[in-house]
């Protein structure tokens, strides 16, 4: 795997700077786990019966970004990227996906999420979570999405570990 170029969260900073730093660190972790791999390697499945792949994780986290930032704070009716019925599982099927397709969607959603966060007056700004109709704060969304990345980056660690033993062998 390539060198670790991630920037860690600030050791001192405001709540917002700290949350932003942790979320960006987790985003950078996903990108790092995928760095240097071609489409075939990114579509490599873990152990059967699991169909989990690094490319599937990238697609899923694009959906997470959209569902928790765009759909909550901008457009409750915005369609998901890979599902017409808010099925987060659909994104995991990366069998016909490419790095370019998945990363273009993911990077676009990340940039939109960053803009939404930057433009919000405070972390107390609220929006409607369309899946359950709950009112949620930007603070909750940033924590939730950070935890989503952390959980899935654990899977990415294992997937990459398996690939590092086979890529180029």
């Amino acid at each position: 795997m390539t060198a670790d170029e991630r920037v860690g969260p600030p050791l001192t900073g405001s709540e917002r700077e700290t949350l932003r730093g942790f979320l960006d660190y987790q985003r950078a972790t996903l990108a790092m786990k995928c760095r240097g791999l071609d489409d075939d390697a990114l579509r490599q499945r873990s152990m059967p019966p699991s169909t989990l792949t690094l490319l599937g994780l990238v697609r899923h986290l694009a959906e997470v970004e959209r569902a928790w930032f765009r759909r909550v704070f901008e457009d409750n009716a915005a369609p998901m990227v890979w599902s017409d019925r808010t099925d987060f599982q659909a994104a995991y099927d990366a069998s016909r996906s490419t790095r370019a397709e998945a990363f273009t969607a993911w990077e676009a959603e990340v940039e939109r999420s960053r803009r939404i966060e930057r433009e919000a007056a405070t972390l107390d700004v609220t929006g409607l979570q369309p899946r359950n109709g709950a009112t949620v704060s930007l603070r909750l969304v940033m924590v939730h999405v950070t935890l989503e990345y952390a959980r899935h980056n654990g899977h990415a660690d294992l997937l990459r570990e398996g690939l590092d033993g086979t890529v180029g062998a």
Side-chain angles (χ1 to χ4, degrees):
M1 194 161 55
T2 58
D4 187 349
E5 299 172 4
R6 297 171 297 171
V7 175
L11 299 178
T12 60
S14 69
E15 177 186 20
R16 190 170 195 158
E17 291 166 333
T18 301
L19 287 173
R20 182 185 295 148
F22 270 101
L23 181 52
D24 279 340
Y25 182 81
Q26 291 297 328
R27 289 168 172 153
T29 298
L30 178 66
M32 182 182 75
K33 295 297 176 184
C34 296
R35 196 166 292 127
L37 299 175
D38 64 15
D39 288 354
D40 289 335
L42 288 168
R43 283 192 297 262
Q44 183 79 30
R45 292 180 174 190
S46 63
M47 295 189 80
S50 176
T51 60
L52 193 60
T53 66
L54 285 167
L55 205 53
L57 288 175
V58 171
R59 287 167 47 109
H60 173 72
L61 286 160
E63 296 284 34
V64 167
E65 294 272 358
R66 181 175 286 209
W68 283 97
F69 283 96
R70 182 188 298 210
R71 293 186 81 213
V72 169
F73 297 106
E74 284 190 340
D75 180 4
N76 285 157
M80 300 301 284
V81 183
W82 288 283
S83 169
D84 57 357
R85 59 186 206 292
T86 316
D87 177 6
F88 284 87
Q89 301 305 308
Y92 284 122
D93 180 6
S95 58
R96 291 184 293 280
S97 185
T98 64
R99 168 187 272 282
E101 175 221 21
F103 274 87
T104 296
W106 178 68
E107 289 165 355
E109 292 304 324
V110 166
E111 285 311 307
R112 187 176 203 122
S113 298
R114 284 180 175 141
R115 180 188 52 74
I116 290 167
E117 182 270 321
R118 276 191 319 268
E119 291 177 358
T122 73
L123 293 174
D124 295 321
V125 167
T126 61
L128 179 70
Q129 200 345 305
R131 288 179 69 199
N132 60 15
T135 299
V136 296
S137 69
L138 178 58
R139 177 182 294 101
L140 177 130
V141 168
M142 290 183 74
V143 169
H144 176 79
V145 174
T146 300
L147 293 173
E148 279 282 318
Y149 272 96
R151 181 168 69 95
H152 291 303
N153 281 336
H155 303 315
D157 283 338
L158 295 173
L159 286 162
R160 182 62 194 237
E161 189 176 287
L163 287 169
D164 285 343
T166 62
V167 173

